[in-house]
Amino acid sequence: MTRSKLLRLAGLLSLALLVQHFWSTLLPSAQLRESAGINALDNLCPQVEALTPSGHANLLDILDEEYSSTAFKLKAYESLGGAIRIPTECFDDLGLPSEDPRWEIETKLHDYLESRFPKVHATLQRTKINTYALVYEWKGTDDSVKPLLLAAHLDVVPVNPATYDDWINPPYSGYFDGEWIWGRGSCDDKPGVIGSLTAIESLLERGFVPSRTVLLAFGIDEERGGHTGASAIGKYLLEMHGPNSIAMIVDEGGGYADRGGTIFATPAVAEKGYMDIRMDVLTPGGHSSMPPKHTGIGILADLINELEARPHEPELFRGRTYYQGLECRAKYDGVFPESLKRLVQQSQTSDEKLRELGDRLLDFDPVFYALSGTTQAIDLVGGGVKVNALPEAVWAVANHRIADHSSPAELMNRFTAVTAPVAAKHNMTLEAFGKLIGSEGPSWGTIRLSDAFDSALVPAPVTPTTGSSPYELLSGTILSTLQTNLRTDKFSTSAVVSPGLSTDTRHYWNLTKDIFRYGHRGATDGYNGVHTINEAIRAEGFLEQIRFFTRLILNADQTDLLE
């Protein structure tokens, strides 16, 4: 072999040794990084064990046997059906209970509840608040512990008469077809009322006497914000029990859903803020045979178009409730993409990866926009009095659910900034929330922005989760209910609890820091959602709600996890 060939061979051997050394150091490093990523997920979304009240275990077994009987099921389903047949519709323009006769339907529901749950009404103290809202007190034997409060509402969203023929079964039939219970309120929220009362009636029939007082609070106008019902209930409870006097509140809200073979239960621990903004466009009138370039309705349309062309952008924040939910999905969701799992792990410390995760979620998660940002919906509009008269006053109302990291003040500033150029374009004076914006010179008319119904509400205080005893009690109760379910369908018993977002408990904030919005309804237990046609609940799903309320009362009765 020639000298040159020997030199080339030696060079190749040296290169091979260098490559081997490079990969021998690189591969362990990559493996360590991959292992570190996996280990990082291990620390996310800690869970508790399923919780069953050991001292009441025999009672719980007896009740589950009873709940699984055909006779009990049919009676419970009819209890809900009968409540649905009483159309307790809530209208935005309801007057005072003492003046508006539309409230009187609530009395019919009161009488129905009294006849359907005789032991409840013979044992618990019922107080009517502001005429039609209800508070029940099941007095416990131990005054040293704080009460448990279960909240729900008696009212329902009205059914549009024009849609009656679109319902598979009439909207107030309460019909049970062997699988579904049909009608307005079957999901929102008469199961909360009937489910909790059924649980207590069943416990009373078995002679149970609670050591911890149990309170029930049933509002009458939750569907318009609770101004008449929950607001008065909150004041009453505050007067009777004092601030921070309730151990835990469980209201309607989150439920559970199957994600890749694992059931995710999502009790809401935070609430978005709220505000309805009204836009009034005031312009000169006149005969419509000589119209201006844009009528008031045209200007209002331009405002709406500009607002919808510039929606609020969602944003991720570490430690916020939606982000905590992502951590749970990254760890437990079997169909959560591996690339997103890595981003969740990397975003713990990298702002760049946090932004990248947010961008990916816009396409991946349909609810990301609604849960992580302020939402806006133009829901009401009006104006004009005659076809040949130019409209002098037209208006619209935009509904907003304010992100938990924002505020009404921030919303008003943004709303003003978006509408100001439209006002200038049409030579209109802009009065934004009591302030004159822009030029004070002559104008053709006025655009006025205001809080439509004195509705501005800051986001709620966040309920403590990881490491919080009340959250552990609720989580353990949810898990035990899911893992022992009485369903006949193929239902996974693998379950985790993950925090979520909701609304509706503003009137009870002073009573406790531990407020959970959770109704224990499965995602597939609603036929067509709520506030729309063909509202119906799967009967077996409603039965599980009764079981949840039963276990919650018994777990809360025998625990060191609540004050």
Side-chain angles (χ1 to χ4, degrees), residues 41 44-47 259 264-267 269 316-333 336 340-341 344 348 357 361 364-365 367-368 371-372 404 465-466 471 496-501:
L41 292 179
L44 303 182
C45 194
Q47 296 293 303
R259 295 187 183 277
F264 273 69
T266 53
V269 299
L316 275 180
F317 288 88
R318 297 182 192 92
R320 292 288 182 178
T321 304
Y322 179 83
Y323 187 80
Q324 291 177 331
L326 282 178
E327 293 175 329
C328 291
R329 294 189 66 180
K331 184 173 180 179
Y332 296 107
D333 186 345
F336 199 63
L340 288 181
K341 288 183 180 181
V344 170
Q348 303 285 310
L357 177 60
L361 288 168
F364 174 76
D365 189 353
V367 301
F368 170 62
L371 295 183
S372 288
D404 60 350
T465 54
T466 303
Y471 183 71
V496 297
V497 178
S498 170
L501 277 162

Side-chain angles (χ1 to χ4, degrees), residues 46-60:
Q47 296 293 303
V48 301
E49 296 294 325
L51 184 61
T52 301
S54 57
H56 301 310
N58 185 54
L59 173 60
L60 201 56

Side-chain angles (χ1 to χ4, degrees), residues 193-267:
V193 174
I194 303 302
S196 56
L197 288 173
T198 301
I200 293 176
E201 185 82 4
S202 301
L203 287 165
L204 287 170
E205 288 174 349
R206 297 292 175 179
F208 176 73
V209 178
S211 59
R212 182 185 301 275
T213 294
V214 178
L215 300 171
L216 303 179
F218 298 153
I220 51 175
D221 64 336
E222 186 274 344
E223 299 297 358
R224 67 167 190 171
H227 309 299
T228 301
S231 175
I233 290 173
K235 292 174 183 176
Y236 168 79
L237 292 175
L238 197 60
E239 179 181 340
M240 295 298 294
H241 296 273
N244 195 31
S245 58
I246 305 299
M248 180 170 70
I249 296 175
V250 179
D251 199 353
E252 66 164 340
Y256 56 89
D258 190 319
R259 295 187 183 277
T262 298
I263 303 300
F264 273 69
T266 53

Side-chain angles (χ1 to χ4, degrees), residues 64-96:
D64 264 351
E65 184 176 353
E66 179 184 344
Y67 291 168
S68 62
S69 70
T70 300
F72 178 88
K73 291 178 182 179
L74 292 177
K75 183 179 179 180
Y77 301 162
E78 175 53 25
S79 292
L80 179 56
I84 292 168
R85 286 191 282 274
I86 302 172
T88 48
E89 293 184 329
C90 176
F91 301 91
D92 287 343
D93 63 347
L94 279 168
L96 295 174

Side-chain angles (χ1 to χ4, degrees), residues 175-195:
Y175 176 63
F176 173 51
D177 64 5
E179 182 179 7
W180 301 93
I181 305 168
W182 294 86
R184 174 66 85 234
S186 58
C187 293
D188 184 14
D189 174 40
K190 288 185 175 175
V193 174
I194 303 302

Side-chain angles (χ1 to χ4, degrees), residues 275-325:
M275 189 173 186
D276 294 313
I277 295 180
R278 179 178 173 116
M279 298 172 282
D280 286 285
V281 178
L282 310 175
T283 54
H287 201 285
S288 58
S289 63
M290 299 185 65
K293 185 175 181 181
H294 297 287
T295 68
I297 291 175
I299 295 171
L300 179 63
D302 202 3
L303 285 168
I304 293 172
N305 182 67
E306 186 67 17
L307 287 165
E308 294 199 337
R310 297 178 60 186
H312 296 256
E313 296 297 330
E315 188 173 0
L316 275 180
F317 288 88
R318 297 182 192 92
R320 292 288 182 178
T321 304
Y322 179 83
Y323 187 80
Q324 291 177 331

